[in-house]
Amino acid sequence: GHTLTMRSQSGVENLAACNKCHSDLTAFNRELHGDYDGDGKAGGVQDELQGLLNILYSAIRESGVKVMDRSPFWENVTTKAQKAAIYNWSFVNNDKSLGIHNTARSVQLLQRSYKDLTGKNISGADIR
């Protein structure tokens, strides 16, 4: 039947819509050809993006931003780099696909936000 659900209740991935254009896709967490989060291994797209989200989130907090459990959710945001990092982290995180949509763009947003915020590339990562 017709569904927009990406996984069945039993956890089976619904790749039917994706397979119309990506006939070789067998899983959402498809293999990438690089280690974009610097953990020493090239993982699946969703693994790499979750790693990047975690790294940038930590860098945002280490920059002095306080994370709150209520609106406005971020406090002590004082620099343009912090604002951009929060925006880009939120953009990729709230998409909920973990990089399935626009993988290269998501990787670049997170890596560049990290560099702008910290002044350095993610250690050990393949930079896009």
Side-chain angles (χ1 to χ4, degrees), residues 19-99:
N19 285 145
K20 291 178 183 176
C21 297
H22 306 281
S23 57
D24 59 340
L25 187 67
T26 59
F28 293 130
N29 196 22
R30 64 179 163 55
E31 182 182 342
L32 286 179
H33 303 291
D35 175 13
Y36 299 116
D37 63 1
D39 68 355
K41 62 183 191 282
V45 63
Q46 293 179 314
D47 297 330
E48 292 294 321
L49 263 289
Q50 186 61 63
L52 283 169
L53 285 166
N54 294 346
I55 289 166
L56 183 56
Y57 184 82
S58 292
I60 291 168
R61 293 190 65 175
E62 289 169 13
S63 76
V65 173
K66 181 179 177 188
V67 181
M68 302 182 307
D69 61 357
R70 65 192 183 315
S71 182
F73 302 108
W74 308 91
E75 187 174 72
N76 198 32
V77 181
T78 59
T79 70
K80 183 178 177 181
Q82 288 171 328
K83 290 176 188 177
I86 290 166
Y87 180 86
N88 290 333
W89 180 89
S90 298
F91 180 81
V92 174
N93 185 64
N94 294 336
D95 172 67
K96 303 291 187 202
S97 77
L98 287 174

